[in-house]
C-alpha cells in the first residue's frame, strides 16, 4: 500500500498484513510515528495470552477475567501468574 506522508509529495510503501493492517514497525523504519489519541484507530492484535472484546466488556488474561484478578488476587499471586502462566494453587 502507498501511504501519503505529510507534507506532500512524500510517500511510503508498506506491506499490509493478511488482516489488512499495517505494522507500526514498518512506519518506524521510515522515521514515521503513529499518533492515535484515544486509541480510536489502533487495531487489536491476535494474542494467545489476552482476550479483549470491548463491545461485550470482556478482558481476560490467561483466561482469567481481569476484574476478578484485580479484586481477588494479591501482588504475589499476580506475579506468579505472569511468570508461570497460571495462578498458584490454593491452600487446602
Amino acid at each position: 500500500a502507498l501511504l501519503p506522508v505529510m507534507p506532500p509529495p512524500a510517500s511510503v510503501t508498506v506491506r499490509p498484513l493478511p488482516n489488512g493492517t499495517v505494522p507500526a514497525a514498518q512506519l518506524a523504519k521510515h522515521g514515521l510515528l503513529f499518533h492515535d489519541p484515544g486509541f480510536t484507530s489502533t487495531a487489536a492484535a491476535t494474542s494467545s495470552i489476552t482476550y479483549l472484546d470491548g463491545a461485550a466488556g470482556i478482558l481476560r488474561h490467561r483466561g482469567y477475567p481481569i476484574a476478578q484478578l484485580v479484586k481477588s488476587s494479591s501482588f504475589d499471586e499476580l506475579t506468579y501468574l505472569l511468570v508461570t502462566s497460571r495462578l498458584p494453587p490454593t491452600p487446602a
Side-chain angles (χ1 to χ4, degrees):
L2 189 62
L3 299 177
V5 178
M6 298 304 283
S11 62
V12 174
T13 301
V14 294
R15 176 173 290 154
L17 296 172
N19 64 3
T21 62
V22 175
Q26 286 190 30
L27 300 176
K29 288 179 185 177
H30 298 282
L32 301 172
L33 299 176
F34 186 81
H35 179 66
D36 181 19
F39 299 108
T40 58
S41 298
T42 300
T46 302
S47 172
S48 61
I49 298 172
T50 59
Y51 176 76
L52 169 66
D53 182 341
I58 298 171
L59 177 58
R60 293 189 178 122
H61 178 77
R62 301 276 184 200
Y64 299 100
I66 295 292
Q68 173 190 332
L69 293 173
V70 169
K71 184 177 178 182
S72 305
S73 301
S74 69
F75 176 82
D76 291 338
E77 290 170 326
L78 293 175
T79 302
Y80 189 94
L81 172 63
L82 292 172
V83 172
T84 66
S85 304
R86 59 186 173 84
L87 286 172
T90 54

